[in-house]
Amino acid sequence: MTELKVDIENTSHRMSAARCDPVYVAVLLLVALTLLVFFPVRGYEFINFDDDLYIINNPHVNTGLTVENIRWALTSTEFSNWFPLTWISHMLDVSLFGLRPEGHHLSNLLIHTANVVVLFFVFLRLGVPLKRAAFIAALFAVHPAHVESVAWVAERKEVLSAFFWMTTILAYTRYVRNPSMANYALVVFCFILGLMSKSMIVTLPFVLLLLDYWPLGRFRPRADVRGLILEKIPLFVLCAVVSVLTVAAQKQSGAIKTLELFPIKHRLLNAFVSYVRYVVNFIAPYDLSVMYPHEKAISLMTGAGAFALIALATGFVLWRAKRFPYLFTGWFWFTGTLVPVIQIVQTGLHSMADRYTYIPYIGLFIMAAMGVPHLLKDYGKAALSLGVITILVCAGLSVKQLSYWKDSITLFTHAVSVTRDNYLAYNNLGCALSQTGRDAEAVAAFEKSFSIYPNSAVIHVNAANLMLWTNRKDDAIMHFRTAIALDPANTSAYVGIGVALLMLNKPGESIPYFEKALVLEPTLTAAVSYLNAAKHQAVSGSSTANPSGKNFN
């Protein structure tokens, strides 16, 4: 009986010690902070920007987790990328929650919360003091620029790949402490899972070299630097394979824009300006937008000024690297991990994106967490207070930024209000307004969009579809023809003209357009159905049915 009493007392003491353990408390606070800020997302809708293409209207995803769908995920390069693990995660959500957005949003939030906790343990394992590791993780949790990656269901690839990015580093710290084939195999395995989630993490082997410099200190005098590089060769090989696959997929889908659309000079100037804007958004994260269109022209002086600022920052970091090695690691973590998405190789029509900062900003978090306490080393309480205030301000700004993601109309209305000439946002706003029956406002949004950028076939097709729906057939045909002139392979435009002609009781004139669409896309079922209807109408003389509904790209 006495022994049982002693065991109970010992167990009680251990539980009490666990509850008071600073690491345990920090983890609870980080989880609570993350959930408190982001929990409203559970009631948000899908948005009409990739959520529809990735999940709602994707037959391989919206039918859930099946062997056939998994086989498709492993081999598909649709949507300009290869990320099978991300596809499988979306399929699992559909199997669990159907197409109700709540479950999909909660999955993103849970992965983000896991990322916060793993990141905290990563820096603890790297030897960063507990308070500073907690500050880095807290900033990562609630920085407003990260709202996009969490609140946007289609950005599952960002949060999921980041999870494996962090677990790879965690496995790497284990390997550094105990080099063995088994521990190295775990590093490779985690990295492969990350690459299968999103190819942007190809920069991770370079970041491991940065961590070798600081805080792991493997670049000490007489260290075998060549050996540090050689040990990462398998990781570099994996990066090369996935990079080639990704570029091929993006070229095939047309995601990589031509030099005629964005000349190399403009891309370089935009890259320099974007780096500066990312730093500004890190320091003052407000007026953030889901879309940042390219400026029509960036002056050479603006680009040169941005380049000078980057060069000065880089020069300072190199100058102080020996005394403050965390500045070196943090700055080149930030600048290096942005390289794949800095838009020198232009993908899409945007100039930059908040979602691209999900991993790169960790570098700036390192600089802030390590540098500010050093500057205020004689004012410990002031440094702690400043850190707490920073977290609270970021949390408040994130709550506000999150509120814009509740639905498509709110999101894109905000986007056009905080950016200039954002034709991309006006286009999506028009689609969202139309889907809720606000057709007059939708037409105005589309007209605003192509008045800013008249050379987008997609925008003209969307406007034409709405005009067709609202019985403005002649206007619709005009916009469909404009779309074809801009993009002769746009099947939606050919089908649209055919439908408009059918509605005007001109079946004979409509048939060539449906046939052209089928030449371009032989499996396009809508074109087959309309072609059969046109042939039947041409023979029987009966009137055609109205189009089945609004169809936006």
Side-chain angles (χ1 to χ4, degrees), residues 281-294:
N281 286 352
F282 166 76
I283 299 169
Y286 57 89
D287 283 351
L288 304 178
S289 172
V290 64
M291 294 175 174
Y292 299 98
H294 276 273

Side-chain angles (χ1 to χ4, degrees), residues 59-71 73 84-96:
H60 302 287
V61 173
N62 64 24
T63 50
L65 199 61
T66 67
V67 173
E68 182 180 345
N69 288 343
I70 291 173
R71 188 180 299 116
L85 205 58
T86 297
W87 286 128
I88 291 170
S89 76
H90 285 307
M91 294 170 190
L92 179 60
D93 275 359
V94 171
S95 293
L96 293 174

